[in-house]
């Protein structure tokens, strides 16, 4: 008999399963709380009888997320390579800010989007993550580092809106008051521009931050670097973003990887500023990561400053993202790529 993934179930679903098995309703809340503390087995649920723990272990499974490798940066950032139950590997990054700990988690093993500057895209796509595996990244990192995570960013490996239903279930679980209780305003979801899903997400009026990987001011540049633009162009994407902002009342964050000589010219900033005019938006400029094989180079400090000045003179707020973990290859996809390439724990 195939066991049921209990960690991806809502409290209501667990209650119904338990009642159909003749178990008391309050047991569901006990188990739910244990699961969301990050326990890896029913044996650890010490306020349940031994007989009940055996019964649960025969029917249900808690999908494992185990630390395979980790690297600790000089700035305290921790890059994790996690192994899943089927042997697949994913990455997460734990970061310390003045407001507390944030974790950047993966939503897929690999990615289908194939953005030219992204290490994850180079490794191809294996499968979607289930909600339990998304939760497990947060919980395993908390236990390993001995910290409490207060902010979650869905910006690791994979495209969250390409794993839409599982991501929605994860959001419901991670924000549950009997679980980790991380509020929506402490969650950011990054997308490369799956336009139909942006409209669907907007209509749910969740109060999370939508972070859009734009990376170009026009179709010519964006289609070269991001294949998704050939399906939904810049105009269609920005129309969906305006709808999202109107429906939710939330400001959109636009991610813009600064690539020397590709998208960092002053005219790019002027064009971008015109496109975003009238929208509640913030542009987050990111010096492009040094990913093997892309041939891309980071923009100079002077180019970054000019870009910010042009955007702000056009009425668009912009900042340069603080770079964390560069000495440990904290860009998602880099560590998994090296591990798959045969470098093992040494990376």
């Amino acid at each position: 008999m195939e066991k049921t993934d209990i960690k991806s179930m809502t409290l209501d679903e667990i209650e119904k399963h338990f009642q159909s098995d003749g178990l008391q309703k309050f047991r569901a809340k006990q188990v739910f709380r244990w699961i969301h503390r990050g326990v890896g087995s029913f044996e650890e649920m010490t306020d349940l009888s031994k007989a009940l723990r055996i019964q649960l272990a025969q029917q249900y499974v808690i999908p494992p997320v185990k630390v395979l490798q980790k690297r600790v940066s000089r700035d305290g950032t921790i890059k994790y390579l996690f192994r899943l139950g089927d042997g697949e590997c994913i990455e997460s990054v734990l970061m310390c800010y003045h407001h507390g700990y944030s974790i950047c988690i993966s939503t897929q093993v690999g990615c289908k989007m194939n953005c030219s500057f992204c290490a994850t895209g180079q490794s191809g796509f294996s499968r979607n993550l289930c909600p339990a595996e998304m939760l497990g990244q947060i919980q395993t990192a908390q236990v390993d580092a001995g910290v409490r995570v207060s902010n979650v960013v869905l910006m690791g490996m994979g495209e969250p809106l390409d794993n839409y239903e599982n991501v929605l279930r994860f959001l419901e679980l991670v924000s549950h008051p009997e679980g980790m209780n991380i509020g929506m305003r402490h969650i950011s979801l990054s997308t490369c521009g799956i336009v139909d899903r942006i409209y669907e997400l907007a209509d749910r009026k969740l109060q999370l931050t939508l972070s859009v990987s734009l990376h170009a001011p026009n179709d010519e540049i964006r289609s070269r670097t991001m294949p998704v633009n050939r399906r939904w162009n810049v105009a269609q994407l920005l129309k969906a973003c305006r709808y999202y902002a109107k429906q939710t009342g939330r400001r959109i964050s636009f991610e813009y990887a600064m690539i020397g000589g590709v998208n960092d010219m002053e005219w790019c900033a002027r064009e971008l500023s015109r496109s975003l005019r009238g929208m509640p938006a913030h542009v987050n400029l990111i010096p492009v990561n040094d990913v093997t094989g892309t041939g891309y180079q980071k923009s100079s400090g002077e180019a970054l400053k000019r870009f910010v000045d042009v955007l702000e003179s056009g009425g668009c707020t912009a900042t340069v993202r603080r770079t964390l973990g560069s000495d440990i290859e904290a860009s998602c996809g880099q560590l998994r790529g090296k591990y798959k390439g045969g470098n093992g724990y040494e990376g």
Side-chain angles (χ1 to χ4, degrees), residues 148-160:
R148 161 77 173 157
V149 168
S150 57
N151 293 270
V152 179
V153 184
L154 283 73
M155 198 184 289
M157 294 168 57
E159 163 56 56

Side-chain angles (χ1 to χ4, degrees), residues 195-214:
V195 165
D196 52 356
R197 294 301 195 187
I198 291 175
Y199 281 109
E200 290 181 43
L201 193 64
D203 288 337
R204 291 180 175 272
K205 299 185 179 180
L206 302 177
Q207 289 300 292
L208 53 76
T209 297
L210 183 67
S211 183
V212 177
S213 296
L214 190 58

